[in-house]
Amino acid sequence: MIGYGANRGIIPVVCEELFRAIESNQEDNRSYQVTFSMLEIYNEQVTDLLSKTKKSGGLKVREDQHQGFYVDGLKLVPCERYAQIERLMDQGKKTRTTASTSMNSSSSRSHMVITIHFKQIFLEDDITKQSSINLVDLAGSERQKSSGSEGDRLREGVCVNLSLTTLGNVISALADAAMGKKVIHIPYRDSVLTKLLQSALGGNSRTVMIAAVSPADICYEETLSTLRYAERAKKIKNKAVINASPTEHLIKELKAENNKLLSRLAGLGKSGKRVEQETKELRRLLTENELRIQAMEMTWEHQLQEARKEWEQQYVVITQERRMMQAFPYLLNINEDPQLSGVLKHFIQEGSSDVGQAASNEITMRALGILPKHATFINFENKVLVKPYGKAKVIVNGVAIFMNTKLQHLDRIILGSNSGYLYIGFPAERGCEDISKFDYDFFQSELAAAEGFSVDKLGAIHNKDGKPDPSVLAVFHDYIKLIPLVAEANQLSEELIKDLKFELKVKNLALTDSRGYDLQKEIMVKVINKITQQVWIWSKSKFINRKFLMEELYQRFLDGDIILDRESDPFWDPVEAIHLGSAHIWLQSLAYCMKLEEQTELLDSEGVEEAILMITITPCSSTGRYHFYDDHQSVYTKAVWKNVNPVIDHKMQFVASNVSNGLLSYLQKNALVVDLWGLQEGCPEIDWSLPDTACTNEGFILIDSMKTVHSSSSLVDSNSHVSELYLKLLKLEQETELLRDINRAVREENIFLKESLKQSGAWKCQGCDKPVRVQYRDYSSNSIQSASSTKEVMKRSGCRASYDADFAKALKVFYQSMNTIRGHFLRLKHYKPPEEENIHLLRLFTEKQSLMFKDFWQQLESCICKLKNDVAAIVKKKRQDVTCTKN
């Protein structure tokens, strides 16, 4: 609405066009008057942004029979030209920035209303036409994702969406009334914003709503909601008429009425109780009329004279500020809202300049985490040093400092929790650099980098264009957005003596996915009680909600009102079980009816080992008792308390009455996710009973019970055909494994025999010098044969080498063919059923899958048959050679 830099907003454009139209329509018998006001609504409190003094609790909104709702005590400034309005907006932005650094408001959570009162006075007819232009910058709606904070008992206390919701209800009611529907009540009084905009929405007015939307697909829901909001506003039908006020005529009527009142007062007697009451009432009416006459007779020139005095004072201040900018280094504020950045300037003059909340400091800063005496800036011999006091928090370029530190031009400084400033050095040090890049995000990214947090640390998956994955970037931006909020929450906890410490963590959702997919990460906030060491894990949305309430509580603390019960304390939460880590136990062995004994690490959300888990998975029929396959209830073990190396004696048995294609696929692709939970003193144990789980008569959990009944017989046939192919595939894989075992044994024995030949030497006995008889195994007849001479041994060992070469060649061909078949298997593995529950699509899927399995089966069968034939040929050749040797 206001804009910043070269991007001028709607309000400056409208005001400039107004004065341009006044200049082009100047006439002798007509004069124009423009007054300007600027206010902010935060937490249903009204702040005058043009006033130098701030009233505790904000300005009051009152109602008058003639004016309607108005802000009592709001400053109205007359303006002769657009430059004056521009200066007033700069003044309002400075007040708004100061308020935001004092933990009162910022543009993202407050509404700003600029009102232009415009009058046309027709001197000949004593007629005044007047209008009020309300230019409103609405706060952005705080849309939250569905999370654990839904239904939070403190959610209603967040006032960010209250006025927007009320505004939507008012618009809906007015739209219904315009369409002829019966509307009993229009809720103007439910919020301060709708009270002040009552005449603009449903009164004598013309209203324009401008909706700001995003073209990004991730903002689809917000964009649609905003457009629906604006669509309702279009349906409102108002009949606007000219506000013509015969001012002079009204003044004459009031004076005549005053004369009548005076005559009545003169005619009354001097005694009697009734006479005294009537006299008192007449005097009250007379006083009110006199005040109204004085207000109406106060000339426009007098109001302008008062405004000109203020303009002159402001001009002196602006001129002095410009001179100091050319002589001294200074601190330039950096705000989350770009239009509030660069508004405040704190000059560092020669010598020492103390910074802090106390009024005695040369530079006074009132912000969260700023101590009465926080730091000192020393300007000496064309260099500036900064020195923190005691435990005061001072960060330079993302790193905390504790001693004298020399500042360089364009250094980034953070004082207290989150008061960011850009250091502008001496005029000689300045160049033509672009300081716009040092924005709020730059400051927070620098803090994150100093903590060792970056996009690469998140495991960024780069696309073909070399850019990181958008989901990873979203998590990174969430992290740097929450860095200042966590710092402020820690400062609030310290000042309110809550003994809580807040830490940012990144949760890897892949740890909880049974398929092990690298899902999008998520930001969470770890809360630690520094006294009891109890831990809570808050989601991002829950933390943001609580942070707003902490600010409200802190404001009440500053106002001296902090009495509250535990249930309404935003820092308090009941003790809960904490998720410590997860381990993946892959179930592929069950698909082959094989037992699995494994030692695996339980990793936390950051990949750090929390514990070692010994687990056994057995295809069995013994008695026993996890969220598994189509049973959607999570199973918990019994708690083990006060044991460093706990032994959790827990058994669980699942029974499948029908082994379906889906179950086999699940076993081959999924893992059993074992979560480790920590129970804290005072929190209830997790219920591990299974009241709604289907079980067999023996008490085993029943899975794969074929709950879905297909209406098509061909679909059932195709499923049974796929199951047969699965069984054949399993049989072939078992045969392949057997052949691999035989090959392994042959290789090991060959190595052993070669070593024996090397050690035999000259084939003679060392004691009697007689030839040694060598025995060898004949693999064709599986019998022990003898060789009496070196020649015969060498001959037979040469034959054996030939057979080994032939066998190795056959295995090589087999492995090459298996690589091709493996590609087909991977395509089958990633071929997933349609997401839509459509029988026709499912039938097409199963038919295509059946053809793919058939093709896969034929190739695999052909490959194994060829291996069998090659091995048979080698064995036959070996038998023939042995027979020839014997002959």
Side-chain angles (χ1 to χ4, degrees):
M1 291 294 289
I2 290 182
Y4 60 95
N7 300 314
R8 293 206 310 162
I10 295 169
I11 294 174
V13 172
V14 168
C15 295
E16 188 174 26
E17 287 297 323
L18 176 63
F19 280 100
R20 189 173 294 166
I22 290 173
E23 291 175 3
S24 61
N25 288 279
Q26 291 286 354
E27 296 181 14
D28 295 336
N29 63 340
R30 189 183 302 179
S31 65
Y32 302 94
Q33 298 176 2
V34 176
T35 57
F36 180 91
S37 67
M38 187 175 183
L39 61 87
E40 181 182 45
I41 303 172
Y42 174 72
N43 272 355
E44 295 298 286
Q45 291 186 0
V46 178
T47 303
D48 187 354
L49 295 178
L50 301 181
S51 176
K52 296 180 181 178
T53 59
K54 182 186 176 185
K55 187 176 180 181
S56 178
L59 301 178
K60 302 298 181 183
V61 178
R62 305 190 185 279
E63 187 176 12
D64 181 77
Q65 185 178 1
H66 300 285
Q67 299 181 35
F69 290 104
Y70 69 97
V71 179
D72 189 16
L74 184 66
K75 187 174 183 179
L76 302 175
V77 182
C79 300
E80 295 178 288
R81 53 187 180 274
Y82 169 68
Q84 295 173 344
I85 286 185
E86 199 170 31
R87 200 175 301 166
L88 285 170
M89 285 192 291
D90 290 339
Q91 179 184 341
K93 285 195 293 183
K94 183 175 290 188
T95 305
R96 200 177 188 191
T97 305
T98 306
S100 69
T101 58
S102 300
M103 188 62 76
N104 288 326
S105 62
S106 64
S107 65
S108 61
R109 289 175 280 134
S110 62
H111 310 293
M112 185 187 66
V113 182
I114 288 179
T115 303
I116 308 292
H117 297 280
F118 177 58
K119 290 184 180 180
Q120 298 182 71
I121 302 173
F122 298 87
L123 302 176
E124 293 181 355
D125 302 326
D126 289 336
I127 298 294
T128 300
K129 294 181 180 179
Q130 59 186 3
S131 64
S132 296
I133 307 172
N134 294 298
L135 300 162
V136 186
D137 185 4
L138 293 175
S141 63
E142 299 289 338
R143 178 178 289 272
Q144 306 287 345
K145 291 184 178 179
S146 298
S147 64
S149 65
E150 286 190 358
D152 194 291
R153 64 189 183 283
L154 298 173
R155 196 179 182 89
E156 295 80 14
V158 182
C159 299
V160 180
N161 291 334
L162 174 62
S163 52
L164 291 178
T165 303
T166 305
L167 179 60
N169 294 337
V170 168
I171 289 174
S172 295
L174 291 172
D176 291 342
M179 297 173 66
K181 296 181 181 180
K182 186 177 180 180
V183 178
I184 300 176
H185 171 66
I186 298 175
Y188 289 115
R189 297 176 179 271
D190 289 358
S191 75
V192 171
L193 180 66
T194 49
K195 284 179 183 178
L196 299 180
L197 296 182
Q198 179 177 2
S199 60
L201 292 170
N204 180 27
S205 64
R206 288 182 179 175
T207 304
V208 176
M209 176 179 284
I210 299 174
V213 297
S214 168
D217 56 352
I218 59 173
C219 301
Y220 173 79
E221 291 182 4
E222 286 80 357
T223 298
L224 190 61
S225 175
T226 304
L227 292 176
R228 285 173 178 163
Y229 201 96
E231 179 66 22
R232 285 186 292 176
K234 286 173 59 179
K235 296 177 182 177
I236 301 174
K237 303 296 181 184
N238 289 341
K239 294 181 180 179
V241 296
I242 296 174
N243 288 324
S245 172
T247 307
E248 297 296 332
H249 181 66
L250 182 59
I251 292 175
K252 290 177 182 178
E253 286 183 351
L254 288 173
K255 287 182 177 180
E257 187 177 348
N258 277 359
N259 291 331
K260 290 180 182 179
L261 291 173
L262 289 171
S263 300
R264 287 184 63 187
L265 280 173
L268 290 174
K270 297 183 180 180
S271 63
K273 188 174 183 179
R274 183 177 178 182
V275 173
E276 289 179 2
Q277 290 178 351
E278 189 173 353
T279 302
K280 189 175 181 181
E281 181 67 21
L282 288 173
R283 290 188 184 281
R284 187 184 66 78
L285 292 172
L286 186 63
T287 303
E288 287 184 358
N289 284 345
E290 287 291 343
L291 291 174
R292 292 179 68 186
I293 290 171
Q294 289 177 13
M296 298 178 86
E297 286 183 335
M298 185 178 181
T299 61
W300 178 250
E301 286 75 15
H302 179 71
Q303 295 180 23
L304 279 178
Q305 194 67 27
E306 295 293 326
R308 287 188 184 117
K309 292 180 181 179
E310 291 191 12
W311 299 131
E312 290 174 1
Q313 293 174 359
Q314 290 182 12
Y315 181 75
V316 171
V317 172
I318 292 173
T319 304
Q320 183 180 2
E321 184 179 89
R322 289 176 178 171
R323 288 175 180 172
M324 295 183 73
M325 288 173 63
Q326 300 301 321
F328 300 104
Y330 59 92
L331 303 176
L332 192 68
N333 81 297
I334 302 298
N335 196 281
E336 181 181 3
D337 185 353
Q339 66 183 0
L340 300 184
S341 291
V343 175
L344 303 179
K345 299 178 183 68
H346 298 295
F347 294 95
I348 305 172
Q349 301 185 43
E350 292 183 359
S352 298
S353 300
D354 291 337
V355 176
Q357 290 213 18
S360 58
N361 295 305
E362 285 79 4
I363 301 175
T364 304
M365 290 185 186
R366 291 184 174 87
L368 190 64
I370 300 293
L371 302 180
K373 195 171 184 180
H374 196 85
T376 297
F377 288 87
I378 304 170
N379 183 348
F380 179 71
E381 294 182 352
N382 289 331
K383 63 181 179 181
V384 173
L385 304 176
V386 59
K387 174 187 175 183
Y389 271 99
K391 296 182 179 180
K393 183 179 178 182
V394 178
I395 296 176
V396 177
N397 299 336
V399 180
I401 64 168
F402 305 97
M403 57 185 68
N404 285 7
T405 302
K406 183 181 178 182
L407 296 179
Q408 303 290 336
H409 178 54
L410 299 182
D411 275 352
R412 284 75 59 198
I413 303 171
I414 297 178
L415 303 175
S417 298
N418 191 34
S419 298
Y421 293 91
L422 185 66
Y423 170 70
I424 306 298
F426 291 92
E429 298 175 344
R430 304 171 198 170
C432 301
E433 58 276 312
D434 181 17
I435 66 172
S436 61
K437 69 177 183 179
F438 300 106
D439 56 4
Y440 184 81
D441 287 344
F442 187 95
F443 274 57
Q444 305 310 323
S445 299
E446 195 169 51
L447 276 177
E451 295 175 4
F453 186 85
S454 64
V455 175
D456 292 333
K457 186 179 177 181
L458 286 171
I461 302 173
H462 294 273
N463 299 323
K464 293 181 179 178
D465 55 1
K467 296 181 180 178
D469 188 83
S471 63
V472 175
L473 282 177
V475 175
F476 178 75
H477 288 306
D478 282 345
Y479 190 93
I480 64 174
K481 177 185 176 183
L482 290 180
I483 286 177
L485 300 185
V486 168
E488 291 172 2
N490 280 318
Q491 186 63 39
L492 290 172
S493 173
E494 182 178 337
E495 295 195 19
L496 296 173
I497 316 177
K498 295 297 182 179
D499 298 316
L500 292 182
K501 180 183 178 182
F502 298 87
E503 295 178 355
L504 272 177
K505 299 291 181 182
V506 181
K507 182 179 181 181
N508 188 356
L509 298 182
L511 292 176
T512 58
D513 183 69
S514 65
R515 295 164 297 179
Y517 288 176
D518 189 13
L519 303 177
Q520 180 179 347
K521 294 177 175 62
E522 193 175 77
I523 301 296
M524 60 184 183
V525 178
K526 185 177 181 180
V527 187
I528 306 170
N529 188 307
K530 292 187 284 188
I531 297 177
T532 65
Q533 298 302 314
Q534 291 174 329
V535 177
W536 294 265
I537 301 297
W538 288 0
S539 65
K540 181 186 77 171
S541 55
K542 180 176 180 177
F543 170 74
I544 292 174
N545 280 346
R546 293 294 184 90
K547 172 63 169 46
F548 289 159
L549 296 167
M550 292 173 193
E551 294 173 13
E552 294 176 12
L553 181 64
Y554 183 68
Q555 190 63 48
R556 289 167 56 186
F557 167 73
L558 296 178
D559 296 338
D561 175 23
I562 197 173
I563 300 175
L564 76 165
D565 57 0
R566 188 175 69 173
E567 292 292 328
S568 58
D569 186 353
F571 289 92
W572 182 83
D573 244 2
V575 184
E576 59 187 21
I578 300 299
H579 181 254
L580 300 179
S582 299
H584 281 65
I585 313 298
W586 294 98
L587 301 171
Q588 194 171 13
S589 61
L590 287 181
Y592 302 98
C593 293
M594 294 173 64
K595 181 179 179 180
L596 173 70
E597 292 183 358
E598 188 166 328
Q599 173 181 310
T600 186
E601 299 86 6
L602 277 156
L603 306 179
D604 65 8
S605 59
E606 297 180 309
V608 179
E609 181 183 298
E610 286 284 348
I612 300 294
L613 177 71
M614 299 293 297
I615 194 164
T616 303
I617 299 179
T618 308
C620 64
S621 59
S622 61
T623 57
R625 190 61 44 172
Y626 297 118
H627 169 63
F628 182 67
Y629 192 47
D630 55 2
D631 178 26
H632 298 293
Q633 289 200 75
S634 296
V635 182
Y636 298 92
T637 65
K638 290 184 178 180
V640 178
W641 289 88
K642 299 178 181 179
N643 195 327
V644 177
N645 297 307
V647 177
I648 301 176
D649 186 11
H650 177 82
K651 294 181 180 179
M652 181 68 65
Q653 183 169 344
F654 297 89
V655 174
S657 55
N658 296 287
V659 180
S660 67
N661 177 19
L663 177 58
L664 286 173
S665 177
Y666 177 86
L667 294 176
Q668 290 189 342
K669 298 177 183 178
N670 291 57
L672 180 70
V673 181
V674 180
D675 293 324
L676 177 64
W677 291 82
L679 301 186
Q680 306 184 81
E681 292 285 352
C683 75
E685 291 189 11
I686 303 173
D687 183 19
W688 63 280
S689 60
L690 303 171
D692 301 324
T693 301
C695 297
T696 64
N697 295 331
E698 295 82 6
F700 306 150
I701 298 177
L702 187 63
I703 60 169
D704 202 23
S705 55
M706 306 296 290
K707 297 174 184 177
T708 307
V709 180
H710 301 289
S711 59
S712 172
S713 60
S714 61
L715 184 60
V716 176
D717 293 340
S718 61
N719 275 338
S720 61
H721 182 58
V722 170
S723 299
E724 290 178 9
L725 288 174
Y726 258 120
L727 294 175
K728 290 182 179 179
L729 174 63
L730 292 175
K731 186 177 179 181
L732 285 172
E733 287 186 353
Q734 290 172 359
E735 292 180 1
T736 305
E737 189 65 30
L738 182 61
L739 287 171
R740 287 174 181 166
D741 291 340
I742 295 173
N743 179 38
R744 195 179 301 113
V746 169
R747 284 177 177 271
E748 290 174 357
E749 196 159 356
N750 280 348
I751 293 171
F752 174 76
L753 290 172
K754 286 180 180 179
E755 291 296 327
S756 299
L757 285 173
K758 288 180 180 179
Q759 293 174 5
S760 63
W763 308 97
K764 290 183 179 180
C765 178
Q766 297 296 327
C768 60
D769 201 29
K770 292 182 179 179
V772 177
R773 193 168 188 84
V774 180
Q775 294 182 335
Y776 68 94
R777 181 180 295 275
D778 186 355
Y779 293 97
S780 59
S781 60
N782 197 22
S783 60
I784 304 297
Q785 304 292 334
S786 299
S788 59
S789 66
T790 304
K791 184 176 180 182
E792 184 180 353
V793 171
M794 294 301 294
K795 178 181 178 183
R796 291 181 180 178
S797 100
C799 294
R800 187 180 302 114
S802 175
Y803 305 147
D804 289 345
D806 291 340
F807 191 67
K809 185 177 179 182
L811 281 177
K812 183 177 180 181
V813 173
F814 172 74
Y815 288 139
Q816 288 175 348
S817 303
M818 286 300 293
N819 281 333
T820 305
I821 294 170
R822 182 175 177 273
H824 285 277
F825 179 74
L826 291 176
R827 283 193 291 274
L828 269 171
K829 182 178 179 181
H830 296 292
Y831 184 59
K832 297 181 180 179
E835 295 180 358
E836 300 179 12
E837 295 182 0
N838 187 308
I839 292 296
H840 178 66
L841 293 177
L842 194 57
R843 186 186 298 116
L844 292 176
F845 166 77
T846 52
E847 289 176 357
K848 185 174 180 181
Q849 190 185 50
S850 177
L851 291 174
M852 292 173 69
F853 268 114
K854 186 176 180 181
D855 185 36
F856 173 74
W857 156 255
Q858 289 176 351
Q859 291 191 34
L860 185 60
E861 195 174 38
S862 173
C863 178
I864 292 179
C865 286
K866 188 175 189 313
L867 179 62
K868 286 181 178 180
N869 294 334
D870 290 344
V871 171
I874 294 170
V875 171
K876 184 179 179 181
K877 181 182 177 182
K878 192 172 183 180
R879 285 175 179 171
Q880 291 174 353
D881 290 343
V882 171
T883 303
C884 292
T885 303
K886 288 180 179 180
N887 293 335

